[in-house]
Amino acid sequence: MSIPTLAQSSFKTQQLTFERVREAYDVKWENLQKELAKEQITGKFILYIAAYKAERRLEIWLKQSTQKQYKLFKVYPFCTLSGVLGPKLKEGDLQTPEGFYHIAAFNPKSNFHLSLGINYPNSVDLLRSANEKPGNHIYIHGNCVTVGCIPLTDEKIKEVYILAVEARNSGQNEIPVHIFPFKITDANLNKHLSAFPQYKAFWTNLQQGYAYFKKYRQVPDVTELMNTYQFK
């Protein structure tokens, strides 16, 4: 966790110069603050986002800097989903990526109301796509249409966007977004591998990150996991 700089502390101020962000704060922030207080989360917090494609579920986990463990704050259902289980392989395949990412862009003037871009393609995606174009522009966004993104509807993205702004403004430069094909229990893994056996090594690797967070309620250091990714 880096120490906030002047540029970081003014991030929220900058975002509030955009009409849609101001409107989101006007209609959502007061109630979000009450919900945060109910969970005994006051002041600055750190954000972790986990998404599960099969369950169509996006989870918001929060903790304060003095706390070791994250706690589940809110769950948002995907409004819709394109593609099937399995990672995104190339541009135009309609797949939602799977893997360990972070928020790389805040778009207050999105074509889909508000959006948070993830750093797809990451290094693993680039290796996997080989000679194919991997595609890009993967977002968590509003509206209810998608060709590989995670849409939540305009009302729900307002809350997620605000929470991301607050975390970023508090000095969290890298907000992790881990996208899993499903909740990777052993039972679920065995069930889904019957239809997608080609992803056994890849999903088993992802399972290590899933299991670590489930056990410790801490975000794993995914660098080593990403360096040992295996796929066909």
Side-chain angles (χ1 to χ4, degrees), residues 66-83:
T66 56
Q67 299 171 323
K68 288 187 176 181
Q69 295 185 321
Y70 285 83
K71 62 170 62 176
L72 181 62
F73 178 57
K74 300 199 78 166
V75 176
Y76 298 93
F78 294 12
C79 182
T80 187
L81 183 69
S82 66

Side-chain angles (χ1 to χ4, degrees), residues 85 189-199 203:
L85 295 183
L189 183 62
N190 291 332
K191 179 179 72 173
H192 289 294
L193 281 176
S194 64
F196 301 95
Q198 68 271 34
Y199 298 130
W203 285 350

